[in-house]
Amino acid sequence: MFKAKPVAAGRLPDLLRAMPKAELHMHIEGSLEPELIFALAQRNRVELPYADVDALRRAYVFNNLQSFLDVYHEGTKVLRTEQDFFDMAYAYLVRAHADNVLHAEIFFDTQTHTGHGLDAAVVVNGLHRACVAALAELGITASLIFCFLRHLSEQAAFEALEQVLPYRDKMIGVGLASSELGHPPEKFARVFARCRELGFRLVAHAGEEGPPAYIWSALDVLRVERIDHGVQSMQDPLLMQRLAKDRIPLTVCPLSNLKLCVFPALAQHNLARMLDAGLVATVNSDDPAYFGGYINENFTQTFAALGMSAQQAWQLAHNSFAASFLDEPLRRSYQQRVNAVFEAFE
Ligand code: HPA
Ligand code: ZN
């Protein structure tokens, strides 16, 4: 294993910002900044229930996942055209690139937007065009993960899948998002089995607010390769053994967990304990426009709160590429760039 040089506490934030990283858990609609929401509302003549940008920002106080999803859903109503989806995703990729994100795997859904009368093609094509443009113009690699909304039915998920299959080549995998409690993974067993046959990579949100049982069923019933959040796994020692043994990555989102009251304070977050237990944890922003920061803010605030080290920074950067769906040669070349930055850092 790479041995990171010790870094003075005062220099650690600079290292965290400079280190190359992958972001594997972010919902593209959660990157809509209030300014962009208002600009798109004006462009599309959509009425917003907020007087101005400041009033909207003041609404960003949440006490659980559902209270966030309600506000987040309001924001998605301004998205009407392929260009809107392009602009949203391109803005995120520019922002991620500034945080030294070399590679992003982006969650999106179509059910929110088809519910607003849009065609699924508008969503997928706009987002995919932004990924292509960002590679050409910034050199950042990005791929798309299509999420089913778990508060909706199995049949609705099958219909959504059917609608995106003409664009199969524009997506690398499928995931499971929205209200977790009361909607266990097994509700989507047959949809995920179908997606597996179709060759999609599989992930699911589990153990954000939901119990360890949801993580077990995401693994054993849906057969996912990564768990999104997974912070509740630490209540179950057998589950932790399983996650460590099979090297199942967990895409952890500390500021999201703080804002949605999954932990009362960042100082109580279990990220460092996950690494100590040998779990393949990663750090991600989830819905950065709503939760108070992009990926580097997640790193710097969590490292400060938990007193984490340069070695743990290296581990998280390395894990982010290990947990990605990149092809092996590009994964290795990105991991070498991580090592080079740690070696050169003074
Ligand atoms: N959990 C579940 N669904 C979501 C989230 C989240 O954190 N963000 C956007 N959709
Ligand atoms: Zn999420």
Side-chain angles (χ1 to χ4, degrees):
M1 202 222 278
F2 184 91
K3 196 87 195 69
K5 288 180 282 188
V7 169
R11 293 282 290 133
L12 197 50
D14 284 342
L15 175 59
L16 292 166
R17 288 188 275 262
M19 70 185 188
K21 53 187 73 73
E23 175 146 69
L24 307 177
H25 182 164
M26 70 83 54
H27 303 261
I28 198 62
E29 297 91 343
S31 73
L32 270 182
E33 292 289 345
E35 290 76 8
L36 186 53
I37 291 181
F38 270 84
L40 293 175
Q42 195 165 35
R43 181 152 107 187
N44 294 323
R45 297 185 172 70
V46 175
E47 284 274 350
L48 287 171
Y50 304 95
D52 54 26
V53 165
D54 289 338
L56 178 54
R57 231 181 256 286
R58 279 197 298 276
Y60 292 1
V61 179
F62 315 112
N63 45 39
N64 55 28
L65 174 58
Q66 193 58 52
S67 65
F68 155 69
L69 289 170
D70 295 342
V71 174
Y72 167 88
H73 188 252
E74 276 305 316
T76 63
K77 291 180 182 166
V78 302
L79 296 160
R80 304 296 308 168
T81 68
E82 186 180 315
Q83 189 63 36
D84 299 340
F85 287 91
F86 176 93
D87 290 345
M88 169 174 66
Y90 197 79
Y92 161 70
L93 288 163
V94 167
R95 187 65 188 72
H97 177 66
D99 278 5
N100 290 307
V101 171
L102 305 186
H103 175 70
E105 295 181 5
I106 296 175
F107 291 142
F108 73 103
D109 76 84
T110 56
Q111 288 171 285
T112 299
H113 311 292
T114 55
H116 299 159
L118 275 61
D119 197 306
V122 164
V123 181
V124 183
N125 289 334
L127 298 177
H128 187 259
R129 207 154 52 72
C131 295
V132 172
L135 176 60
E137 288 157 32
L138 308 168
I140 185 172
T141 51
S143 42
L144 296 172
I145 298 179
F146 172 61
C147 283
F148 299 106
L149 298 187
R150 68 201 300 163
H151 68 281
L152 301 176
S153 68
E154 180 197 42
Q155 194 199 330
F158 270 118
E159 286 166 11
L161 176 61
E162 213 47 52
Q163 290 163 3
V164 299
L165 280 186
Y167 318 99
R168 165 72 189 84
D169 293 348
K170 297 183 176 176
M171 302 174 286
I172 193 166
V174 301
L176 191 59
S178 187
S179 322
E180 185 182 12
L181 289 169
H183 302 286
E186 46 278 28
K187 179 174 167 186
F188 297 95
R190 292 188 291 194
V191 188
F192 270 65
R194 178 73 187 123
C195 290
R196 208 172 123 82
E197 284 171 5
L198 290 165
F200 283 105
R201 309 300 296 261
L202 307 180
V203 302
H205 283 56
E208 176 184 15
E209 290 181 337
Y214 285 20
I215 303 176
W216 283 109
S217 59
L219 294 174
D220 291 334
V221 180
L222 301 188
R223 305 181 66 181
V224 302
E225 302 166 72
R226 289 199 303 244
I227 296 287
D228 298 310
H229 292 294
V231 290
Q232 304 302 337
S233 61
M234 295 203 78
Q235 297 174 33
D236 182 340
L238 264 184
L239 177 57
M240 287 177 63
Q241 280 177 27
R242 166 75 183 280
L243 294 168
K245 177 175 73 65
D246 290 348
R247 301 198 54 73
I248 306 287
L250 304 176
T251 61
V252 177
C253 307
L255 287 177
S256 166
N257 294 155
L258 178 68
K259 290 295 188 301
L260 301 187
C261 307
V262 173
F263 293 91
L266 272 185
Q268 259 107 60
H269 201 282
N270 58 17
L271 176 69
R273 277 179 283 139
M274 286 178 162
L275 293 178
D276 290 343
L279 302 187
V280 185
T282 65
V283 167
N284 307 271
S285 68
D286 207 4
D287 299 284
Y290 291 91
F291 296 151
Y294 287 76
I295 193 167
N296 282 357
E297 223 23 65
N298 275 270
F299 272 107
T300 53
Q301 290 194 33
T302 308
F303 270 63
L306 297 176
M308 292 171 72
S309 66
Q311 184 64 31
Q312 287 170 314
W314 176 84
Q315 187 71 60
L316 288 163
H318 181 86
N319 287 354
S320 73
F321 295 107
S324 75
F325 295 141
L326 283 165
D327 292 342
E328 216 42 54
L330 191 53
R331 184 203 316 282
R332 241 175 287 125
S333 98
Y334 282 161
Q335 286 176 328
Q336 281 161 5
R337 285 173 66 179
V338 172
N339 292 356
V341 166
F342 275 79
E343 275 159 10
F345 192 81
E346 294 296 344

